[in-house]
Amino acid sequence: MKRFSLLFQELDRSTATLDKVAALKRYYADASPADAAWATYFLAGGKPRQVVKTAELRVLAREVAQIPEWLFEEAYQAVGDLAETIALVLPTHSDAGSLSLAERVRERVLADQVPAEDCANRDTLSPTLPPGGREQQVRIDAGLAEWIEQRLLPLKSLDETERAKLIRSYWNELDTTGRFLLTKLIGGGFRVGVSKLLVQRSLAEHAGVDPKRIAERMMGFTDGTRSPTANEFLRIIRAENSSTTNANSESENGASIDASREPNEALSEPTEVNGQPYPFFLAHQIPFALAAFDEKLGPPSDWIVEWKYDGIRAQIVKRSDRVFIWSRGEELMTDRFPEIVEQANALPNGMVLDGEILVWKEGAAQPAPFALLQQRIGRKTLTKKVLADAPVVFMAYDVLENEQRDLRQFVQRERRVILEKLLSQFATKYLLSPNIAGQAWQDLETLRSESRVRGVEGFMLKHRDAAYGTGRTKADGTWWKWKIDPMTIDCVLIYAQAGHGRRASLYTDYTFAVWSRAPRDAAEAQQVIDNIADGKPVPEGAMTDVLQLVPFAKAYSGLTDEEFKRVDAIIRKNTINKFGPVRSVKPSLVFELGFEGINESTRHKSGIAVRFPRMLRIRDDKPIHEANSLSDLRSMLLGENIA
Amino acid sequence: MTTTDLIVLRAEGLYCAAGDFFIDPWRPVSRAVITHAHADHARSGHSRYLAHVKSEGILRTRIGADIALQTLEYGESISINNVNVSLHPAGHVLGSAQVRVENEGRVWVASGDYKVAPDATCVPFEPVRCDTFITESTFGLPVYRWRDDAEVFAEINTWWAENRDANRPTMLACYSFGKAQRILSGLDSSIGPVIVHGAVDPLNRAYRAAGVALPETKLVSEVTDKADINRALVLCPPSASASTWANRFKNASVGFASGWMQLRGRRRMGGYDRGFVLSDHADWPGLQSAIKATHASRVIVTHGYEAVMTRWLTEQGLEAGSFKTEYGDDAKESTHDAS
């Protein structure tokens, strides 16, 4: 744990990529394969199932620290991270140091002729070291794998008392950073400002293997349903030429079977079906305006243009009569979509498709809104009703493997031909993402303006001669997202809450409201604001009659640090009331909020739910009575444009 | 607050009516007792000042050479309008003092800023028995627990040595008065030269004049060998670390020494390469042990986490309240002044 703790500290305090890579390489040079496997798993975003509920951890930490609940919550508000709060409130070994300072204070007090019994209860004011705290320190440091496998994972099956006893002894054994990490790991994963790409790059340099190959071998490695092993780690970093198989043909046309998928050289269990997906190729937001398309992109005929669907990106892997469905986050979601698994029956083995999972009802002209798919993912059990209410389809748009051949170096148009052939040859219910034709970019722009009505998010542009790249790279060609502009609304900030992590102690999470109807004039709006500031209740009556501010969305992104600081100061000055961590704020700020979709919602007072809301800008120029109203949101719901 | 309280809060600051004087007032008054020379406690414009003898140099430099200033040694007492006033070590910075006020058998102590951990550059905190203790609470949350200075200094020295070996300057931002000198006292000057910003230098001189031993320091203008820049540790105020002044230290690794660096979010928000947890204020256990050691039955909490400390102390069975002061401009937010 000490070595991993050191790595964490090095990664956490550096902002330079080079330093981080160097720190990771030092770690990989030191760590055992079993420890390195877990470190890689966590750093690359792996999240094991939570072994202890956070509520249980909170209670335990309060007990050990001997502080009441309210004080723990105050501390959490200031810190903004639960594991860090726990690590910091627990008495530390160096508290022994400050206690000894207190001893010094006591001596002086004694010298001041204070009766000794007065000092005896001094400790009631300060937390004491848990018994045995010091003895525990001499224990030999266990490695990360041992910590996880021998100590943390078994916690789950213990009863609460046993579990509490063990966690206390673990906390006791570790320093503050160790406790922070342990608590993060118990709670299920953590972020340290290291991207998966950076981990792969470090592993590649450590092992002397192409980073793309590392990325491939790591696919599915962080899937939460299983534990990483030393053997898997060794397979990831294995030298490329350790295989005598077709390494040459691979480099010649780049389209042979990936050598790492050869069962005879893989260290993985030979009986296991290799269900690994390929690294997803990710698209970029198009960074220039329509007017520049001809110059920057050439004619539309150079591009394969498809609708950009608003579903779940997925790879369907079919090998040895088994089907695997992988999310872009490299989670296995096979069980979630039995329809898609069944429909894969018609397809051949040794095949990997890339596409989008959508809810699409029988006979509908377009896919259902994402909200429906989201609801379905949220269901624990897939009842007949759920399957009937939210039936899914797979919209295929790429083929990455066919007849056990890696096709990623084939260019887009070649892969498209293979995909079309495949889908028509094996009568499957998988849909083929249609190619959209347009003579000029302007024609496509006209079509793009229909996106919302068609239930899509705009276009994807894929160069006809581009290979299928790895991650968000542009080396092998580019996929562009040509998205529709977000819907926007001008709304009023009414509640604020402090953020987390680096934004702790700064009010960055806001709740926004619109007018229940358009105010008659500035004076009417001002009256409502004054009533709110004075804590007067809203008069009885329908929302359409009685003017009021109706909350409809929360957002916490889109502003710069400077803007957040400014808004934070305004919030502090205009606070009306505090409810726990939330402040109600006298309405004074208008924001332009952008969002991707809008749906009816019975769960919200406004009757409306918006998707991906974020702040586009602060509308200092906009008087508060000119903010939008609920009827404006309702017209958006009906697909109308508001001025 | 009843009118019989020895010290009350007035618009100008903490006021002792019996003696007709203020403690660290933030508006001009006729008589001010100053706990220490930090700008938020020692303001200009008062007719008469009373402070510890080791605060004199810095007070005169900062407020004016011609201020009407009377000084006391620690433990020495004087009578102001029949109220007994004495100063006692607060362990915060050079010359920092708690103010003990005694009148008609009652004893009140105003802490000013204090820390209980030892510091080679100032006299350590001494608890003073009193009925009512007015305490600061800058770090009044149980997440603030300081490590021994020796550990932090070792980290700073290791970081400095690593930077020197990598041929890049080491720039450490910290408060110029108190923190800078405390760090200087912990530096291993065999690693390389120490350069200080122009804001730090006069304070070093004041410390040396007061008999505090500090390692040799240079202003950047006094550096003759350019190679020294990349071997040096540079001490400067936080505002300078991001200014054009800092441009001359190309590729410097920049650190910040402050109690606020205890929180990971703060470290990341500041964008410093390194954050060192080093504070001139008492940590949570320090506040508790200091309060306990005074044996005060009543505690009045000032600047910091007043509400939290007040509630905590009340739950511990003490009579606790708070004064809304103007020390440290919202200590919870400030990373510069109250560190």
Side-chain angles (χ1 to χ4, degrees), chain A residues 443-516:
Chain A
D443 302 337
L444 289 163
E445 166 65 15
T446 309
L447 269 173
R448 191 178 73 113
S449 65
E450 299 170 9
S451 294
R452 283 225 162 82
V453 181
R454 292 172 179 267
V456 294
E457 294 185 292
F459 282 131
M460 290 296 305
L461 310 180
K462 301 171 181 175
H463 199 275
R464 304 180 75 84
D465 295 327
Y468 190 90
T470 301
R472 212 174 288 281
T473 56
K474 291 183 184 172
D476 303 299
T478 309
W479 282 8
W480 293 113
K481 296 186 266 198
W482 186 18
K483 288 174 73 166
I484 35 179
D485 300 327
M487 298 187 227
T488 65
I489 198 108
D490 292 329
C491 51
V492 184
L493 188 158
I494 58 166
Y495 299 116
Q497 193 170 351
H500 289 82
R502 65 194 287 267
R503 291 157 152 201
S505 312
L506 205 57
Y507 286 88
T508 59
D509 297 9
Y510 310 136
T511 301
F512 295 101
V514 286
W515 293 108
S516 57

Side-chain angles (χ1 to χ4, degrees), chain A residues 506-533:
Chain A
L506 205 57
Y507 286 88
T508 59
D509 297 9
Y510 310 136
T511 301
F512 295 101
V514 286
W515 293 108
S516 57
R517 61 167 169 77
R520 278 192 295 276
D521 49 29
E524 192 193 14
Q526 191 57 47
Q527 187 57 52
V528 173
I529 293 165
D530 291 345
N531 287 349
I532 294 172

Side-chain angles (χ1 to χ4, degrees), chain B residues 115-134:
Chain B
K115 70 168 175 292
V116 298
D119 175 346
T121 62
C122 64
V123 179
F125 177 86
E126 269 182 36
V128 180
R129 279 205 79 165
C130 56
D131 308 309
T132 300
F133 185 48
I134 302 175

Side-chain angles (χ1 to χ4, degrees), chain B residues 167-188:
Chain B
N167 200 34
R168 67 181 164 218
T170 301
M171 186 179 294
L172 185 53
C174 64
Y175 199 49
S176 321
F177 172 23
K179 188 74 60 67
Q181 292 73 34
R182 183 168 157 212
I183 291 169
L184 280 170
S185 77
L187 290 180
D188 174 1

Side-chain angles (χ1 to χ4, degrees), chain A residues 121-358:
Chain A
N121 57 3
R122 181 192 58 85
D123 280 347
T124 54
L125 272 179
S126 57
T128 46
L129 262 188
R134 298 235 115 160
E135 289 78 2
Q136 294 279 0
Q137 286 179 68
V138 297
R139 279 196 58 135
I140 295 163
D141 184 47
L144 181 62
E146 187 185 332
W147 266 103
I148 308 274
E149 292 166 12
Q150 313 290 322
R151 302 180 175 194
L152 297 192
L153 295 180
L155 287 176
K156 205 179 166 82
S157 53
L158 297 175
D159 71 54
E160 208 171 322
T161 323
E162 273 304 301
R163 189 156 54 220
K165 216 170 108 189
L166 283 173
I167 295 173
R168 276 170 186 261
S169 77
Y170 297 159
W171 277 340
N172 233 336
E173 212 173 306
L174 298 164
D175 65 4
T176 306
T177 309
R179 290 165 170 181
F180 168 72
L181 291 175
L182 181 81
T183 312
K184 279 279 180 202
L185 299 182
I186 290 176
F190 65 103
R191 299 194 323 195
V192 275
V194 178
S195 67
K196 183 179 275 187
L197 219 58
L198 203 75
V199 175
Q200 288 164 353
R201 180 176 148 191
S202 311
L203 275 172
E205 289 183 22
H206 167 69
V209 176
D210 181 357
K212 276 190 207 164
R213 183 53 43 94
I214 297 278
E216 247 166 69
R217 292 171 178 173
M218 268 180 69
M219 286 307 286
F221 184 68
T222 54
D223 179 39
T225 56
R226 33 174 298 288
S227 292
T229 64
N231 274 354
E232 277 179 299
F233 180 76
L234 291 172
R235 185 180 61 75
I236 288 170
I237 61 164
R238 191 184 65 247
E240 293 198 77
N241 54 8
S242 70
S243 155
T244 51
T245 53
N246 50 7
N248 286 337
S249 61
E250 200 181 312
S251 52
E252 274 165 24
N253 59 18
S256 71
I257 309 164
D258 175 3
S260 73
R261 290 167 202 280
E262 294 272 303
N264 59 346
E265 65 148 2
L267 286 163
S268 57
E269 297 297 312
T271 53
E272 197 178 306
V273 175
N274 182 355
Q276 267 195 308
Y278 293 90
F280 283 83
F281 187 29
L282 304 178
H284 294 260
Q285 191 76 43
I286 207 155
F288 31 82
L290 178 64
F293 276 23
D294 281 315
E295 179 204 337
K296 303 266 190 189
L297 301 179
S301 54
D302 286 354
W303 295 81
I304 290 177
V305 181
E306 298 169 61
W307 293 116
K308 184 178 186 313
Y309 294 100
D310 187 12
I312 295 174
R313 178 94 181 263
Q315 273 182 49
I316 312 289
V317 176
K318 184 168 183 191
R319 297 192 188 112
S320 311
D321 290 327
R322 280 194 61 187
V323 179
F324 304 85
I325 305 180
W326 291 92
S327 75
R328 216 198 79 180
E330 294 170 35
E331 293 284 336
L332 255 184
M333 7 177 239
T334 317
D335 300 343
R336 314 303 305 159
F337 305 108
E339 307 100 305
I340 294 175
V341 175
E342 197 189 317
Q343 288 164 13
N345 284 341
L347 289 161
N349 281 314
M351 174 215 74
V352 178
L353 300 178
D354 185 8
E356 202 90 358
I357 294 173
L358 300 164

Side-chain angles (χ1 to χ4, degrees), chain A residues 12-13 70 84 95 104, chain B residues 116 145 264 273-274 293 315:
Chain A
D12 193 46
R13 71 189 173 209
W70 69 267
E84 191 184 351
D95 269 0
R104 189 171 53 78
Chain B
V116 298
R145 294 153 189 280
R264 188 169 168 236
D273 298 313
R274 291 291 297 271
E315 290 184 3

